[in-house]
Amino acid sequence: DAGVIQSPRHEVTEMGQEVTLRCKPISGHNSLFWYRQTMMRGLELLIYFNNNVPIDDSGMPEDRFSAKMPNASFSTLKIQPSEPRDSAVYFCASSLGWVDTEAFFGQGTRLTVV
Amino acid sequence: AQSVTQLGSHVSVSEGALVLLRCNYSSSVPPYLFWYVQYPNQGLQLLLKYTSAATLVKGINGFEAEFKKSETSFHLTKPSAHMSDAAEYFCAVSDHLGETSGSRLTFGEGTQLTVNP
């Protein structure tokens, strides 16, 4: 398996624009996680899905953020409208969902909002 | 809720010296614990995990960690640091939320390891 695949790797956008980040989890994994990493806040869990169902979105910072998982092989994280403070590295991770199994991370999307 | 605390946001060692990165956990049930490493501009990758089979866990790149219930600790060690070990290290604990909700990892704040020549 190619691992967790995220696209794009880098995104530069202007304030107010819509941004969509994409993730393809490892085949067979039941859980998918979206994280945000910044120098100030470290690694934050934004939302996670189990069997394509959102389980906990309490980490989503504002209504400007939304995430979907229409099927087991694809998820999106959307920011609309984007703001400079959204600049961060966004990671997607997937796992089998059992308590003793690790999460596998993608390479991340570095988002810059100017 | 379970949590982990990493003591020391920055650790600096000389090449060839012992590496010790500290992690303490808080859990009401037997924990499942993980160490991840993040190299610059990359995602996190698993170093090792503790799942109650053995208290001393060996991982990749010569790292190991020992689970100590009496101290609620899971410190990461490596006998001899290499320049390539310079990275950020994260400790994590797994939370099982139920049959339909699966499990999630809760990460510590990370420790940046610097290796000096």
Side-chain angles (χ1 to χ4, degrees):
Chain A
D1 201 311
V4 176
I5 300 173
Q6 292 186 246
S7 65
R9 289 293 311 276
H10 302 273
E11 177 80 39
V12 180
T13 191
E14 293 185 348
M15 182 174 63
Q17 296 298 306
E18 177 180 294
V19 175
T20 299
L21 310 182
R22 297 172 175 80
C23 175
K24 176 179 169 55
I26 292 173
S27 177
H29 280 190
N30 299 318
S31 296
L32 182 140
F33 309 85
W34 282 101
Y35 290 89
R36 179 172 68 175
Q37 187 177 37
T38 61
M39 291 291 290
M40 292 296 293
R41 294 176 176 268
L43 193 64
E44 303 173 275
L45 177 64
L46 300 178
I47 185 171
Y48 85 95
F49 297 83
N50 195 54
N51 294 322
N52 311 337
V53 175
I55 301 300
D56 183 358
D57 65 354
S58 60
M60 297 286 260
E62 301 171 33
D63 290 346
R64 298 184 296 106
F65 286 70
S66 62
K68 294 182 179 180
M69 192 165 185
N71 57 62
S73 60
F74 184 66
S75 178
T76 59
L77 178 68
K78 185 178 294 186
I79 308 173
Q80 165 65 19
S82 58
E83 297 183 3
R85 58 194 169 123
D86 301 331
S87 297
V89 181
Y90 291 81
F91 288 104
C92 176
S94 70
S95 79
L96 290 170
W98 303 108
V99 70
D100 61 345
T101 57
E102 62 269 33
F104 293 80
F105 281 73
Q107 292 293 293
T109 295
R110 182 174 296 276
L111 173 65
T112 303
V113 183
V114 298
Chain B
Q2 302 182 86
S3 64
V4 290
T5 302
Q6 293 185 241
L7 302 175
S9 58
H10 290 84
V11 170
S12 182
V13 301
S14 298
E15 191 173 19
L18 171 72
V19 175
L20 171 61
L21 304 181
R22 300 177 187 273
C23 174
N24 288 88
Y25 69 88
S26 173
S27 175
S28 58
V29 297
Y32 293 91
L33 297 160
F34 304 76
W35 275 102
Y36 280 79
V37 61
Q38 184 181 28
Y39 298 105
N41 301 313
Q42 294 188 26
L44 280 70
Q45 63 183 84
L46 183 71
L47 269 178
L48 50 82
K49 65 179 180 181
Y50 168 74
T51 58
S52 76
T55 56
L56 183 63
V57 183
K58 295 188 183 298
I60 62 172
N61 302 337
F63 284 92
E64 62 182 34
E66 186 172 9
F67 174 73
K68 292 187 177 180
K69 184 178 179 180
S70 60
E71 299 177 8
T72 62
S73 69
F74 189 56
H75 302 332
L76 182 70
T77 61
K78 182 173 181 178
S80 177
H82 192 274
M83 297 294 289
S84 61
D85 295 326
E88 189 157 21
Y89 292 80
F90 293 89
C91 182
V93 63
S94 182
D95 249 323
H96 186 57
L97 303 175
E99 290 300 318
T100 59
S101 299
S103 299
R104 68 180 176 199
L105 292 178
T106 299
F107 286 89
E109 296 186 352
T111 298
Q112 182 68 45
L113 175 66
T114 300
V115 182
N116 301 307

